[in-house]
Amino acid sequence: MEFLDVMNARRSTREFSKEEIKTEEIVKLIESARLAPTAANRQNWFFLILKEDKKDKVANIMQKHLDKERKIQNSEVQPTKKYTPTSSLMGSIRVIKEAPILILALRRNDKNWFEADYLSMGAAIENICLTATSLGLASLWLRDVIYVRNKIVKEFSLEKMDLVSAIAIGVSSEFPYERKKKSLEEIMKWG
Ligand SMILES: Cc1cc2nc3c(=O)[nH]c(=O)nc-3n(C[C@H](O)[C@H](O)[C@H](O)COP(=O)(O)O)c2cc1C
């Protein structure tokens, strides 16, 4: 596929078939992440590939959090912590259970490089999503894991790491519509 065609074809996908993903395909995804640009060439990233019950552990941790949040949001008690968007979380849990592969995208904690490392992680994650499209696979970039990032990091003994996002990978069982994008006129002008 031509590069621009790949970008045009990529869609956030939320319905996955049960089809398994080959190990070589996963390796290609992470290889593309490895090639992404990173601030000061720090490459301060780490990717944990989860399948089956290990992947479901993430979904279960999120489900527990969702149940707790719902109780708080339905009660008279004013939440003390940051608000969690429960409908988005519910959808993400379903996707994580359904997709055959979940990639956790982590960075080693370093508060001095917080912004630069986060930008670099974005580049790597986008490489993964685009490479997935080029291989005929579907992806969903999931930020929703961050509401339980500490619990996930503990579950997989990833202490000293910060969970930035997750990416669900699989074969699509839907034809996601093209999401409305702002026009060029709205987002650029010649200075
Ligand atoms: C940083 C980032 C975080 C995202 N987190 C989630 C998420 O937690 N759950 C979800 O369903 N989609 C998530 N998405 C997907 C967006 O909703 C999606 O990219 C957007 O609606 C545009 O659709 P498109 O990717 O098909 O162009 C995320 C996307 C990005 C870039």
Side-chain angles (χ1 to χ4, degrees):
M1 240 198 268
E2 288 290 326
F3 189 61
L4 277 175
D5 293 339
V6 172
M7 271 195 268
N8 266 316
R10 186 206 56 78
R11 298 274 183 280
S12 290
T13 301
R14 297 182 175 86
E15 307 274 345
F16 291 89
S17 79
K18 293 206 180 320
E19 214 171 303
E20 296 216 348
I21 306 301
K22 295 188 193 90
T23 302
E24 309 90 83
E25 291 175 319
I26 303 297
V27 171
K28 277 185 189 159
L29 299 182
I30 306 306
E31 174 66 12
S32 76
R34 197 177 71 82
L35 298 176
T38 97
N41 200 20
R42 283 166 53 78
Q43 304 172 54
N44 186 22
W45 44 41
F46 189 75
F47 300 93
L48 186 69
I49 319 296
L50 302 175
K51 296 183 195 180
E52 295 161 4
D53 53 321
K54 296 229 169 108
K55 173 179 68 74
D56 290 344
K57 272 187 184 168
V58 173
N60 294 339
I61 291 172
M62 289 167 80
Q63 185 65 53
K64 258 195 190 160
H65 179 71
L66 175 64
D67 295 343
K68 219 155 93 193
E69 274 298 309
R70 276 195 177 131
K71 260 191 207 153
I72 294 171
Q73 290 179 20
N74 291 334
S75 75
E76 304 284 299
V77 185
Q78 281 301 307
T80 49
K81 281 190 288 168
K82 268 192 193 156
Y83 173 76
T84 303
T86 50
S87 63
S88 174
L89 197 59
M90 196 170 74
S92 296
I93 292 167
R94 184 189 53 72
V95 168
I96 291 172
K97 283 189 180 155
E98 202 173 284
I101 299 285
L102 187 72
I103 302 173
L104 299 186
L106 302 120
R107 59 169 204 118
R108 287 178 183 84
N109 273 325
D110 183 344
K111 60 181 180 339
N112 296 323
W113 285 85
F114 182 85
E115 193 184 10
D117 283 349
Y118 257 74
L119 290 167
S120 306
M121 293 295 303
I125 295 167
E126 178 65 347
N127 274 12
I128 291 175
C129 293
L130 290 173
T131 303
T133 304
S134 78
L135 296 172
L137 301 175
S139 63
L140 182 64
W141 184 329
L142 289 157
R143 174 187 171 273
D144 279 337
V145 290
I146 66 157
Y147 302 112
V148 284
R149 53 157 52 111
N150 292 341
K151 290 201 170 75
I152 295 174
V153 157
K154 203 169 166 207
E155 177 66 41
F156 294 99
S157 308
L158 296 163
E159 279 80 11
K160 302 210 173 106
M161 292 224 189
D162 173 22
L163 178 60
V164 175
S165 272
I167 310 114
I169 299 286
V171 172
S172 177
S173 65
E174 61 164 346
F175 297 99
Y177 64 91
E178 190 179 340
R179 275 79 197 206
K180 192 166 167 23
K181 303 287 177 188
K182 290 183 179 174
S183 68
L184 273 183
E185 291 70 32
E186 285 174 281
I187 63 163
M188 74 171 275
K189 76 171 185 183
W190 298 100

